[in-house]
Amino acid sequence: MATGMRAELATPNPDFLGFENYNGVLTLHGTIMIFLWIVPAGTGAFANYLIPLMIGAKDMAFPRLNAIAFWMVPPGGILLLSSLITETPGAGWTSYPPLSTSSGQVGQMTWILSVLILGTSSILGALNFLTTLLTMRIKDMTFYDMPLFCWAMLATSALVLISTPVLAGALILLSFDLIAGTAFFNPTGGGDPIVYQHLFWFYSHPAVYIMILPMFGMISDILPVHARKPIFGYTAIAYSSLAISFLGLIVWAHHMFTSGTPGWLRMFFMIATMAIAVPTGIKVFSWVATIWRGKLRLNTPMLFAIGFVALFLIGGLSGVMLASVPFDIHVHDTYFIVAHFHYVLFGGSVTGIYAGIYHWYPKMTGRMFNETWGKVHFFLHFVGFNLCFFPMHVLGLQGMPRRVVQYDPQFATVNMVCTVGSIILAFSTIPFIINAVWSWSKGPKAGANPWRALTLEWQTTSPPAIENFDEEPVLWSGPYEYGIDLELIEDDRSVDELLEEVKAEM
Amino acid sequence: MKIPTAIITMLFGVVITLASLWYGQNNGWMPIAASQEAPLVDGLFNTMMTIATGLFLLVEGAIVIAIFRFRQQPGDNTDGPAIEGNLPLEILWTGIPVVIVVGLSIYSFEVYNTMGGLDPMASGDRQVVQVAANPDAQISGLIPGDSQARPDRVAVGVGASPQTQGQPADVEVDVLGLQFAWIFTYPQSGVVSGELHVPADREVKLNIKAQDVLHAFWVPQFRLKQDAIPGRTVELRFKPQIPGTYPIVCAELCGSYHGAMRSQTIVEAPEDFDAWLQSQIAMTEAGENTVAMVPETLSKTDRLALRTADLGVDDRTLAQLHHTGHHH
């Protein structure tokens, strides 16, 4: 779908998807990638899988609630995709009224309902994560013994619980405007479209952090394992997640600097937004310091994890620029924004998800993936991504707005480069999918702990037994205490044997 | 003899600083700066580019060096050193970003104030809602609320810079965004046009409204953008400087033909502007005001012209607009 859009934009004229379809496809692309890929895969799948394992619990706190949350995703997804057959929603994933209330009713209502279903699923999930993390850690595990992914999920769940209900409220009001003829956001009836924007972004800016914080956590867990070195500044990384979560709630109007917002408000949100650079910077610097002087195993999960840091940095730097009101007024709703959020959500979140999949693949399937094809995937991903999205910064600055199917012919060459990049990106998923499917049954057996990692999920069998642990797991080291048992490992004893020994002593 | 690490680090620092300073000023990523406000934004952008380039080289450089220097040696299965943190270093890399963002905030505030973003006449939001006049019309018009009658009417947007606050602009233009065209009305002379003519080196004030859905008025060369919002009037005040023809782009998704919603602004010497205005007045008097809807330079804007024709923006719509326009 995304490559379809790029194919359309290879030439300045609408000749592939056409005017009407393009807006439908762009709305679905945004909605699917956010609500059906990054949010469920990142916060849903990984959190559900890893939290109980990492804290030594048998299951989540509310298994039935969890099942409901999970089974809400497929109907939501099918409903959204059904709009391809009936009528596509054409108002973008933001669905600003009055456009969203004055164009196709069926498509827009389908969109609202499916997002409501997926949003509810996400709220139920968050409630579950929070309860599990607070009450079900094994004896002896304090907050400061938790892997950083757990800290990130604490921050993420709080964000989901506070902000998602507001989106639900906004969408319900929008649907009343759409089908019942009310005028909450309709200026011809005395409503105000700006109110919708405030409500929408009160969720949708935190949503960005909902989509990136879990990956911050995963990266903080993956880097130390393959660098064989403790995470640099555990406490700082843990608290910076909470700081981002808090600041993330008070920056929403930076999406509205050119909208109906007064000057003082623009200034307040500029300063709050800039402040986020500080905790985010702490994380980036700490990650670099973690790999610095380590003994890097440059395998596929490590490459994706380092790639995450490299790509996310660019998204972070352009993010600070965008916080500045006078500059944002120029580039708002242009390809500069498109480049920025793809660096955060694709270069960041999706690269992070890939790192997570490769890192925990042996745990999930009990088998190793093929290293060579994993690396091929990484290089295609990295090259294709930068080729596709880096030139978009310049496009935006030069004057190309986003969400257009037709553009000034002077931008044709650069757009062609972007399209080539997107085709490489599309092809990069082929080795990934084949590798994942093939290795699941044919890959070499992985054993409990192929990476010699220290967090609890590696203490159980791969894949984990029913109720996760055959015997009660034991917390015998901090999550990142690499480099301490140096002599013992030189003794040629594996982590498993060490574990046995510790258990015997207890 | 080995060169001390401190000296190598310092050399790296100098090289990164020089490279960032050069690239920050010479990135050439911005289009021509054609308004008084544009160089201010460019100055800010170049400063941010300098800082961003420096951080980019520093972090990505460290990553690349780490990949080559600290990769696992064949046969070495031991762990790295057990370094868990370094408090002074962590305080340093928290403190430096704090200083940077505080500095950038102050700089941005100054630029925004100089541009007129904090002009109390433009930056408040004492919104008065307008109610639809004739919802059954082909394009429903908005009758202005009592905001129009009040002399202290306050809109949002970018207003006059501190030096010219309180003074009326030299030229005022009412801008109306509708699916999928821009219509410019010069209230002093009653001229209606499909493209925006403005005199160079004169203060121009746009009163931006939207007829149907959200649009956004953007001239990349002016570095100015403002959403057009149904139900309220927003202000955009600026001083064009370099004569030329620049695109006007709609930057807020407004429907199927959003990408085709383009027009142009012509910055010309004040005498040329007056001549153009006179010719338009003459044409209006001759009852040919629709001529202005199709710009003379058809080759460049034929797409727009075609679109406006497609969507029924014709004499009838214009007459209707004219009708609503008479209220103020």
Side-chain angles (χ1 to χ4, degrees):
Chain A
M1 192 171 268
T3 310
M5 279 162 68
R6 281 311 324 172
E8 166 63 67
L9 293 176
T11 59
N13 285 318
D15 38 24
F16 179 59
L17 290 168
F19 283 106
E20 302 277 349
N21 290 336
Y22 185 81
N23 284 354
V25 170
L26 86 83
T27 304
L28 288 177
H29 164 72
T31 314
I32 289 173
M33 287 299 153
I34 290 167
F35 290 103
L36 287 172
W37 167 225
I38 299 179
V39 170
T43 66
F46 274 108
N48 263 313
Y49 188 82
L50 291 175
I51 287 179
L53 284 170
M54 281 179 164
I55 62 173
K58 286 179 177 162
D59 198 349
M60 301 292 288
F62 309 117
R64 285 201 187 83
L65 191 69
N66 206 19
I68 296 172
F70 174 79
W71 286 109
M72 284 174 91
V73 174
I78 291 166
L79 185 63
L80 186 65
L81 288 176
S82 72
S83 69
L84 279 173
I85 313 167
T86 53
E87 178 186 50
T88 52
W93 88 280
T94 53
S95 283
Y96 278 2
L99 179 63
S100 55
T101 48
S102 61
S103 51
Q105 228 181 21
V106 176
Q108 202 56 44
M109 202 56 214
T110 315
W111 181 86
I112 290 176
L113 285 175
S114 62
V115 172
L116 279 177
I117 294 174
L118 297 168
T120 310
S121 150
S122 149
I123 295 175
L124 298 180
L127 196 66
N128 215 344
F129 301 144
L130 211 55
T131 317
T132 311
L133 283 168
L134 293 178
T135 61
M136 294 184 63
R137 298 188 309 277
I138 56 166
K139 204 157 58 74
D140 301 337
M141 184 185 265
T142 68
F143 279 114
Y144 298 98
D145 296 320
M146 289 195 309
L148 285 162
F149 179 73
C150 296
W151 277 96
M153 283 314 301
L154 274 182
T156 311
S157 305
L159 271 182
V160 172
L161 286 179
I162 294 171
S163 65
T164 315
V166 178
L167 175 73
L171 292 183
I172 289 168
L173 295 183
L174 187 68
S175 67
F176 286 162
D177 272 12
L178 186 68
I179 53 176
T182 54
F184 293 107
F185 309 126
N186 183 355
T188 55
D192 188 351
I194 305 301
V195 174
Y196 174 83
Q197 297 181 10
H198 279 293
L199 293 174
F200 178 82
W201 287 115
F202 185 81
Y203 164 73
S204 296
H205 192 77
V208 178
Y209 298 107
I210 293 169
M211 288 186 274
I212 194 77
L213 276 171
M215 288 56 175
F216 285 170
M218 292 201 281
I219 298 304
S220 306
D221 279 340
I222 296 170
L223 287 176
V225 174
H226 302 285
R228 310 307 304 166
K229 198 167 154 282
I231 188 80
F232 195 97
Y234 176 94
T235 330
I237 294 185
Y239 280 109
S240 66
S241 289
L242 299 184
I244 290 173
S245 170
F246 170 71
L247 288 171
L249 286 170
I250 51 165
V251 297
W252 75 89
H254 68 213
H255 296 267
M256 301 167 57
F257 283 159
T258 69
S259 179
T261 44
W264 65 266
L265 188 138
R266 296 181 183 187
M267 288 298 114
F268 170 78
F269 280 97
M270 170 174 87
I271 293 163
T273 308
M274 291 231 176
I276 290 194
V278 177
T280 316
I282 292 175
K283 281 182 188 292
V284 171
F285 292 132
S286 301
W287 289 325
V288 175
T290 302
I291 61 171
W292 193 258
R293 293 187 59 197
K295 296 190 175 174
L296 311 185
R297 275 67 167 164
L298 291 176
N299 46 29
T300 311
M302 187 61 163
L303 286 175
F304 272 103
I306 295 177
F308 168 94
V309 181
L311 296 177
F312 176 77
L313 173 76
I314 298 175
L317 291 174
S318 59
V320 178
M321 295 186 178
L322 288 171
S324 166
V325 175
F327 176 68
D328 182 73
I329 285 179
H330 175 54
V331 292
H332 179 70
D333 267 334
T334 68
Y335 261 79
F336 192 88
I337 301 286
V338 177
H340 162 71
F341 70 70
H342 279 97
Y343 265 92
V344 174
L345 292 183
F346 197 142
S349 299
V350 176
T351 310
I353 290 176
Y354 283 140
I357 291 176
Y358 282 108
H359 181 73
W360 281 287
Y361 188 87
K363 181 51 62 187
M364 293 176 177
T365 64
R367 291 176 188 273
M368 297 302 289
F369 52 86
N370 182 308
E371 258 311 317
T372 316
W373 286 108
K375 283 179 179 152
V376 169
H377 175 208
F378 173 74
F379 285 111
L380 288 176
H381 175 85
F382 196 78
V383 171
F385 177 82
N386 282 305
L387 201 59
C388 182
F389 293 106
F390 199 81
M392 288 184 186
H393 289 113
V394 187
L395 277 181
L397 290 169
Q398 290 282 326
M400 178 160 163
R402 69 191 277 206
R403 293 170 169 164
V404 291
V405 65
Q406 196 182 41
Y407 54 86
D408 198 318
Q410 62 160 315
F411 303 130
T413 326
V414 185
N415 270 289
M416 187 54 100
V417 173
C418 297
T419 302
V420 171
S422 80
I423 293 169
I424 298 177
L425 263 184
F427 276 107
S428 79
T429 58
I430 295 174
F432 167 65
I433 292 167
I434 294 177
N435 194 353
V437 173
W438 188 83
S439 306
W440 199 304
S441 55
K442 298 276 162 40
K445 291 257 190 250
N449 193 356
W451 309 127
R452 297 194 294 121
L454 296 180
T455 41
L456 283 183
E457 77 269 27
W458 301 101
Q459 283 194 20
T460 184
T461 47
S462 304
I466 291 172
E467 305 214 312
N468 287 344
F469 296 91
D470 287 329
E471 45 198 306
E472 285 289 301
V474 182
L475 192 68
W476 63 285
S477 96
Y480 306 109
E481 289 178 357
Y482 299 100
I484 292 174
D485 299 312
L486 212 59
E487 321 84 60
L488 290 173
I489 288 165
E490 278 168 354
D491 273 355
D492 220 18
R493 283 190 285 178
S494 75
V495 175
D496 292 313
E497 287 162 328
L498 282 171
L499 180 60
E500 291 303 316
E501 191 178 303
V502 171
K503 273 185 190 166
E505 278 168 15
M506 287 186 80
Chain B
M1 209 178 75
K2 217 171 157 232
I3 306 169
T5 325
I7 292 187
I8 295 181
T9 318
M10 198 188 73
L11 283 177
F12 265 117
V14 171
V15 170
I16 288 178
T17 313
L18 290 176
S20 323
L21 282 173
W22 181 83
Y23 196 68
Q25 301 304 317
N26 298 290
N27 54 66
W29 283 6
M30 282 284 199
I32 178 175
S35 72
Q36 195 184 38
E37 289 75 12
L40 298 170
V41 177
D42 289 6
L44 180 61
F45 172 68
N46 288 344
T47 308
M48 294 194 293
M49 262 313 276
T50 309
I51 298 169
T53 312
L55 286 169
F56 176 84
L57 292 176
L58 183 75
V59 176
E60 307 285 8
I63 292 175
V64 171
I65 292 172
I67 286 175
F68 285 101
R69 210 173 128 198
F70 300 118
R71 66 200 311 172
Q72 177 189 24
Q73 299 304 312
D76 178 6
N77 279 321
T78 57
D79 284 1
I83 305 165
E84 294 196 336
N86 179 338
L87 196 60
L89 186 60
E90 286 170 50
I91 291 172
L92 185 74
W93 72 41
T94 311
I96 291 178
V98 169
V99 173
I100 291 177
V101 298
V102 168
L104 280 181
S105 296
I106 295 172
Y107 186 10
S108 304
F109 183 89
E110 280 303 314
V111 168
Y112 194 55
N113 190 31
T114 316
M115 286 165 72
L118 297 171
D119 175 7
M121 286 306 286
S123 68
D125 188 13
R126 220 177 304 157
Q127 172 220 353
V128 178
V129 169
Q130 301 163 327
V131 183
N134 45 352
D136 298 330
Q138 187 186 19
I139 296 173
S140 60
L142 297 164
I143 42 169
D146 60 348
S147 67
Q148 307 287 335
R150 276 212 314 262
D152 63 337
R153 180 165 65 91
V154 179
V156 292
V158 175
S161 57
Q163 297 86 19
T164 54
Q165 256 167 39
Q167 301 167 16
D170 299 315
V171 179
E172 217 172 302
V173 188
D174 291 339
V175 179
L176 183 72
L178 73 165
Q179 287 173 328
F180 297 91
W182 294 104
I183 291 171
F184 304 95
T185 311
Y186 294 76
Q188 285 107 334
S189 54
V191 166
V192 178
S193 169
E195 48 185 30
L196 177 65
H197 285 252
V198 285
D201 295 317
R202 296 280 187 279
E203 288 265 323
V204 179
K205 183 179 156 201
L206 306 180
N207 303 312
I208 304 175
K209 290 186 197 180
Q211 180 82 358
D212 34 40
V213 298
L214 294 168
H215 302 277
F217 175 93
W218 180 34
V219 178
Q221 285 74 7
F222 294 169
R223 313 283 190 271
L224 283 174
K225 183 183 292 118
Q226 175 57 50
D227 285 11
I229 302 159
R232 58 172 96 187
T233 308
V234 288
E235 178 185 327
L236 200 59
R237 186 159 159 168
F238 58 96
K239 193 190 252 186
Q241 282 188 318
I242 300 175
T245 302
Y246 311 111
I248 295 173
V249 182
C250 176
E252 185 68 74
L253 181 63
C254 62
S256 306
Y257 300 96
H258 164 57
M261 183 169 164
R262 298 170 67 90
S263 180
Q264 49 190 358
T265 178
I266 292 127
V267 181
E268 50 204 352
E271 353 17 303
D272 296 339
F273 172 74
D274 287 336
W276 174 81
L277 208 58
Q278 290 310 319
S279 74
Q280 293 299 309
I281 293 170
M283 258 195 280
T284 313
E285 278 162 1
E288 293 174 44
N289 63 357
T290 48
V291 174
M293 279 306 299
V294 182
E296 298 89 324
T297 47
L298 194 71
S299 58
K300 278 186 187 164
T301 51
D302 53 344
R303 281 178 300 151
L304 172 72
L306 278 173
R307 290 290 155 237
T308 46
D310 273 0
L311 290 152
V313 180
D314 53 15
D315 327 47
R316 204 154 61 86
T317 351
L318 265 187
Q320 210 175 49
L321 291 171
H322 234 64
H323 176 70
T324 36
H326 280 313
H327 286 282
H328 53 152

